[in-house]
Amino acid sequence: MSGIRRSEVWAGLVRLPAGLRFLLATSFFMPLASFMVLPFLGILLHERLGMAMGTVGLLLGVTSFLQFSGALGGGLVAERIGLKKSMVAGLTVRTSGFALFAAGLSVPQLAVPAVLLTALGDALYSPANKAYLVGEVSEEHRPVLLSVNNSALSTGMALGTLISGLLIARLPLLVFSVVTVMFAAATLLHAVILPRGLTATRPRDGGSGDWTKAFFTPPALVALVTAYIFWFFQNYLGVFVTAGHSPAVYSLAIVLNSALVILGQPPAARWIGRLRYSTAILIAFPALTLGLLAFARPGVGFLLAGTVLISVGEGVIFLKNELEALRAVPGRPALAVGSQRLALGIGSFTSGVVGGQLYAFAQSGGGAEHFWRYAALQGLLATALLVVVTRARPARRRESVPAVHTPSSEWSGS
């Protein structure tokens, strides 16, 4: 596998313009703040605010769907009003949501609009944020930049959950207050640091309403199917593992998964970027399928081996698909990102619904390990489907969106 050394990635980061370095830093600090709260919302809503679990599940489901599907609208808004304005607006809304939730610890009626505001703010912010990142460098350097951004996000999420887990049960008001201040500071810094000239990404066809050009494409289908398969691992591994092992074993698997993707994807990013789309699928989906199948075997060794395979598939296909989505809608990165998030939201939602039924069926049919065999069979079928779709698509000239401010030579990791 050809790639680049971590030292070269770091050297390239140092030479990026201040605006890009700032956004990469916020890609760590904002999920750090968010995940001091988000993983514990269900517990807080049920145990502290007395909300029925059925209502909690409905609220969290609507929130997740709004956060993902709303990103398509967020991409269109970014094209209309500009990337900087969209990011600042999204952060303002999200800050309001966390502040309202802090007040909602004493007034439970405020909790529902607070949760919805945090999701809406993310839907506005994320497409504009990533559109700015990829618009600042040439297509050649996108894989490394996106992979570093993804690694920063994953690291922030993991550390935020760890830090808050020690505090939120005892001092929830303190946690929410700190998170609100962090997001308020991020909003102000975005308004001050990002250049004033950061305006809308004008669609080439003269209008921003034709979102079907972004959504009904092979990358959107691949994103949907990838999320559907991958979220079997995300949603159900914990239930399965803790039924026969201590929670520490499950934690070990999750830490291993995060570490492999965070540390492994950036050095391999350029290699992933050069892969044919169908080749990436033939690497990623068999890895996901074999990983799911490994979970059906008893023993911690198979659990960890399956986690490694899942991590390989995840690291390859999520990055490759982002790159292909940007190529599918040249000149409209915010819309491309929004369509990807919508597809991921549909896929993860469907995986949760179908997976729950499959898990119950497996338990009633002789053992929960059969669930992983059912999931692996779907992974095998998905591999065949997606290879056909990506190989059959018409050849498209790979257009590179010119850098807005920065010549590609400023990223010199090659």
Side-chain angles (χ1 to χ4, degrees):
M1 179 187 297
S2 62
I4 56 178
R5 296 190 300 272
R6 289 186 180 88
S7 60
E8 293 175 332
V9 174
W10 177 252
L13 290 175
V14 171
R15 281 186 284 272
L16 288 173
L20 272 183
R21 293 200 307 271
F22 166 70
L23 286 184
L24 287 174
T26 60
S27 293
F28 167 75
F29 284 106
M30 290 202 302
L32 173 72
S34 297
F35 275 73
M36 289 173 67
V37 171
L38 297 180
F40 307 99
L41 278 182
I43 298 171
L44 290 170
L45 291 169
H46 177 61
E47 295 185 359
R48 184 178 179 90
L49 302 182
M51 193 176 289
M53 277 306 296
T55 306
V56 170
L58 177 62
L59 177 59
L60 294 181
V62 170
T63 301
S64 178
F65 185 75
L66 175 62
Q67 184 171 345
F68 279 101
S69 64
L72 180 60
L76 295 173
V77 168
E79 288 189 340
R80 183 63 59 187
I81 70 173
L83 303 181
K84 179 176 178 176
K85 288 181 180 179
S86 188
M87 281 189 272
V88 172
L91 286 173
T92 301
V93 172
R94 206 153 199 225
T95 303
S96 302
F98 285 119
L100 199 60
F101 209 115
L105 293 174
S106 302
V107 185
Q109 292 81 359
L110 297 178
V112 173
V115 174
L116 295 178
L117 281 173
T118 60
L120 178 60
D122 186 62
L124 280 171
Y125 178 83
S126 295
N129 170 270
K130 195 157 286 189
Y132 177 55
L133 286 173
V134 300
E136 285 288 296
V137 297
S138 69
E139 185 175 354
E140 175 190 359
H141 302 309
R142 282 178 180 175
V144 178
L145 191 64
L146 285 174
S147 65
V148 170
N149 180 64
N150 293 339
S151 293
L153 288 167
S154 298
T155 305
M157 289 161 59
L159 288 179
T161 304
L162 177 63
I163 293 170
S164 185
L166 304 174
L167 296 172
I168 198 164
R170 294 181 290 109
L171 300 168
L173 181 58
L174 173 64
V175 171
F176 274 99
S177 299
V178 169
V179 169
T180 302
V181 170
M182 290 176 72
F183 269 93
T187 306
L188 178 62
L189 289 172
H190 275 69
V192 171
I193 291 177
L194 295 181
R196 291 184 179 180
L198 193 56
T199 55
T201 51
R202 299 295 180 191
R204 296 182 179 181
D205 59 6
S208 61
D210 191 9
W211 60 269
T212 57
K213 288 186 177 180
F215 187 68
F216 291 105
T217 60
L221 174 63
V222 174
L224 191 156
V225 175
T226 300
Y228 176 76
I229 299 298
F230 178 72
W231 255 261
F232 288 140
F233 165 76
Q234 286 282 78
N235 289 334
Y236 298 104
L237 187 66
V239 177
F240 178 75
V241 171
T242 54
H245 301 280
S246 73
V249 175
Y250 173 62
S251 297
L252 176 62
I254 295 303
V255 169
L256 177 63
N257 170 246
S258 298
L260 288 173
V261 175
I262 290 169
L263 299 177
Q265 194 187 68
R270 287 207 176 116
W271 173 77
I272 294 170
R274 289 193 296 266
L275 285 175
R276 288 172 58 92
Y277 202 8
S278 57
T279 302
I281 287 170
L282 283 172
I283 292 171
F285 273 85
L288 293 171
T289 300
L290 290 172
L292 295 171
L293 200 57
F295 297 146
R297 303 284 295 176
V300 175
F302 281 105
L303 169 66
L304 298 181
T307 301
V308 170
L309 288 165
I310 292 287
S311 303
V312 170
E314 174 188 357
V316 170
I317 196 59
F318 278 108
L319 176 58
K320 185 63 179 179
N321 213 49
E322 278 189 302
L323 297 169
E324 291 296 324
L326 291 165
R327 292 179 185 131
V329 195
R332 305 184 69 177
L335 183 59
V337 172
S339 70
Q340 280 284 290
R341 288 179 65 84
L342 172 58
L344 291 170
I346 294 172
S348 61
F349 176 79
T350 307
S351 180
V353 174
V354 174
Q357 299 300 315
L358 276 180
Y359 202 93
F361 179 74
Q363 284 183 314
S364 65
E369 68 275 5
H370 295 303
F371 167 78
W372 301 109
R373 298 188 178 101
Y374 302 149
L377 177 60
Q378 293 177 82
L380 187 62
L381 295 174
T383 305
L385 168 66
L386 296 181
V387 167
V388 169
V389 168
T390 54
R391 282 186 172 172
R393 65 178 183 157
R396 176 187 291 273
R397 181 171 61 89
R398 292 189 172 184
E399 298 186 61
S400 177
V401 179
V404 177
H405 302 297
T406 309
S408 61
S409 59
E410 293 200 30
W411 183 287
S412 56
S414 55

